[in-house]
Amino acid sequence: MSDARTFHLESALLPDGWRHSVRVEVAPSGDIESVTPDAVADADGAEVVGGPAVPGMPNVHSHAFQRAMAGLAEAGAAGADFWSWREVMYRFANRMGPEALEAVAGQLFVEMLKAGYTAVGEFHYLHHQPDGSPHDEAARLSLSVLATASRVGIGLTHLPVLYARAGFGQTNARTEQRRFVNSVESWRAIITACGLASREMPNARVGAALHSLRAVPPDMLHQALEGLDESMPRHLHAAEQVAEVEECLAATGARPVAWLLDEVGVDPRWCLVHATHIDEAEVVALARSGAVVGLCPTTEANLGDGVFPLDAFVAAGGRFGVGSDSNVTVTPSAELCCLEYGQRLTTRRRVRAGGGEAGTRHAGAELWKAGLAGGAQALGRPIGAIAPGCRADLIVLDAAHPSLTGRVGDELIDSWLFASHESPVRHVMVGGEWVVRDGHHRLEAEILESYRETLAGWR
Ligand code: NGQ
Ligand code: ZN
């Protein structure tokens, strides 16, 4: 087609494996139109791209505002835990206005792109003013996130979050949680406003999120799901802390994931974030449901959550994606490395994600491919593969980087995930547009400047 742009990739990870001399045609919409391996370079004026290309990683779970506090909850008493971290987090959550959120999310989204994430699921619960009263435009803060993602050029599945109460058995939210709270109706109105805004954004869509079984009572959860657009991704935090499993058992007679499977009927549209504490029956049932588990290994380590039983879950056919969550780490390679290391430390074996005959499958490459498939499913967008019909979202590695030199095919991803202390990501494309060239984002200097101005003096 005449308006399509054509790229000639030196080598690329396609759905059927690594291929050389790959011609990729991208439609003006940003969708890939055709992919042709073993093509002749510059036969048709294509832009020649040196270095190995892989699909960009979807980031299934982020709270953008938490980037501003990363590292500031590391001082505490010996009893510091998830719940005491949450108190520090609430202080930041209540300082964020629209401009600050745009500055912080802008910096974060640039960092994500430079690290190899090409799309993000923003699990967004900062809706109102700190006293709980709505902004003049009820979706104001959501619209800030949508506009920032569009300006920076990262793919976005925006997930407005329903939040109602402080915990099991409570009827109200705490003072610090007031700005998170909506009725089902006011939450739907925010989703609708975001849906309208995202129509003008080729790399964005809207999904639905329920904060957790702690924060959304069962009746309200059922009501929220009724009449929800059938195709929408549905995200929810589940079973991250032992205390919440115990409280859920006491309140409902079931563990959180078992309750969801039995009472809600979790299916492939669902992404259960964390799902850390699940028993053997839940492992199998959750894997069979076809839902994605959104694993956030560096945040889960940072918060002292526990280790998800990935070995058993994958053996049962389970699907997973990775998320940067609290954004203490904003690097897909580190997230996947930490995920694999959690399994190695608990099983005392190696190459857990490879899992095949010795030497036949590469842990790093298997993790990357699984993260692409699970991430695309969880974000509900056509991403995660260099293939016709998918968005042209890809990253190009620096083959001359000391950690990658001499590596070919899957060894490139292994060496990146397990043995690189600097990022080998060189170029990044989202929806057919280069958003990072030679390691730099076009807007990085001005975005960093406003991030610095925003954070000056914050504690
Ligand atoms: C969140 N973060 O919503 O930001 C949560 C903490 C909560 C993680 N769970 C708040 N990692 O779960 O109540
Ligand atoms: Zn979260």
Side-chain angles (χ1 to χ4, degrees):
M1 273 188 214
S2 54
D3 290 336
R5 279 153 307 150
T6 309
F7 301 91
H8 185 93
L9 309 176
E10 192 180 319
S11 70
L13 179 62
L14 303 185
D16 61 355
W18 284 93
R19 305 296 297 266
H20 291 280
S21 293
V22 180
R23 193 176 68 219
V24 178
E25 275 185 303
V26 180
S29 65
D31 287 347
I32 296 175
E33 228 163 54
S34 70
V35 178
T36 314
D38 306 314
V40 181
D42 57 54
D44 44 14
E47 180 182 339
V48 176
V49 183
V54 300
M57 185 58 63
N59 178 352
V60 301
H61 189 71
S62 157
H63 307 284
F65 77 88
Q66 291 176 16
R67 173 66 182 84
M69 63 164 289
L72 291 181
E74 305 298 334
D81 62 7
F82 174 89
W83 309 102
S84 59
W85 166 84
R86 199 173 72 156
E87 298 302 322
V88 180
M89 186 271 274
Y90 283 166
R91 281 215 312 274
F92 278 79
N94 281 301
R95 293 194 67 149
M96 272 306 141
E99 290 78 22
L101 183 60
E102 283 163 25
V104 173
Q107 174 66 20
L108 175 68
F109 294 161
V110 166
E111 290 169 347
M112 285 183 185
L113 287 172
K114 288 167 84 165
Y117 286 123
T118 43
V120 58
E122 179 61 22
F123 195 99
H124 176 88
Y125 56 87
L126 294 188
H127 298 299
H128 309 303
Q129 303 184 66
D131 68 0
S133 57
H135 291 96
D136 291 343
E137 195 168 21
R140 178 73 178 82
L141 289 164
S142 276
L143 297 174
S144 287
V145 174
L146 279 156
T148 304
S150 162
R151 170 170 178 243
V152 173
I154 195 167
L156 174 70
T157 297
H158 188 65
L159 301 158
V161 175
L162 181 61
Y163 198 106
R165 60 174 185 177
F168 291 102
Q170 313 269 330
T171 41
N172 295 313
R174 283 171 42 188
T175 308
E176 298 86 339
Q177 299 163 337
R178 280 182 304 200
R179 67 184 314 191
F180 314 162
V181 174
N182 275 297
S183 63
V184 171
E185 290 70 31
S186 60
W187 172 69
R188 285 231 175 99
I190 292 173
I191 291 181
T192 303
C194 292
L196 280 173
S198 69
R199 277 196 204 155
E200 310 297 317
M201 300 174 182
N203 295 308
R205 78 159 293 175
V206 179
L210 307 142
H211 185 274
S212 55
L213 297 184
R214 276 182 276 130
V216 183
D219 289 356
M220 192 180 197
L221 193 142
H222 285 297
Q223 203 195 329
L225 294 172
E226 267 165 37
L228 197 65
D229 180 337
E230 286 290 312
S231 71
M232 267 193 184
R234 289 123 212 259
H235 288 222
L236 177 145
H237 290 126
E240 182 181 11
Q241 285 281 315
V242 172
E244 92 180 89
V245 176
E246 287 168 354
E247 285 166 17
C248 185
L249 261 169
T252 69
R255 303 167 61 83
V257 171
W259 189 89
L260 285 163
L261 288 162
D262 292 344
E263 299 291 326
V264 178
V266 170
D267 61 31
R269 293 171 300 182
W270 282 82
C271 176
L272 299 196
V273 182
H274 310 302
T276 315
H277 300 288
I278 54 175
D279 66 19
E280 282 172 32
E282 288 173 305
V283 164
V284 173
L286 185 54
R288 288 203 182 130
S289 76
V292 174
V293 169
L295 300 170
C296 311
T298 67
T299 292
E300 288 155 9
N302 184 277
L303 298 182
D305 288 342
V307 181
F308 176 79
L310 186 68
D311 260 22
F313 183 67
V314 169
R319 306 171 190 175
F320 66 90
V322 286
S324 63
D325 192 354
S326 67
N327 297 307
V328 275
T329 303
V330 188
T331 319
S333 54
E335 224 55 79
L336 291 165
C337 178
C338 183
L339 180 61
E340 169 78 8
Y341 282 177
Q343 300 302 301
R344 293 188 188 186
L345 287 163
T346 49
T347 64
R348 291 185 238 149
R349 305 284 295 275
R350 300 189 67 252
V351 196
R352 305 315 299 155
E357 298 286 306
T360 59
R361 290 164 75 209
H362 293 254
E366 292 303 321
L367 286 161
W368 196 267
K369 291 178 208 167
L372 293 174
Q377 180 180 324
L379 296 188
R381 298 182 54 238
I383 53 176
I386 301 175
C390 281
R391 302 293 296 162
D393 290 6
L394 56 87
I395 61 190
V396 181
L397 300 172
D398 175 8
H401 188 282
S403 297
L404 301 191
T405 188
R407 274 52 169 175
V408 292
D410 287 350
E411 294 166 357
L412 289 158
I413 305 183
D414 286 352
S415 296
W416 176 21
L417 266 54
F418 297 112
S420 294
H421 35 262
E422 288 164 356
S423 175
V425 175
R426 188 159 176 224
H427 312 303
V428 181
M429 176 187 286
V430 175
E433 304 291 337
W434 292 115
V435 288
V436 172
R437 293 302 306 239
D438 286 315
H440 294 286
H441 188 281
R442 185 170 51 86
L443 301 174
E444 65 184 28
E446 62 185 81
I447 284 175
L448 177 58
E449 185 57 30
S450 69
Y451 181 69
R452 286 195 177 124
E453 278 169 20
T454 300
L455 253 65
W458 277 33
R459 271 292 168 281

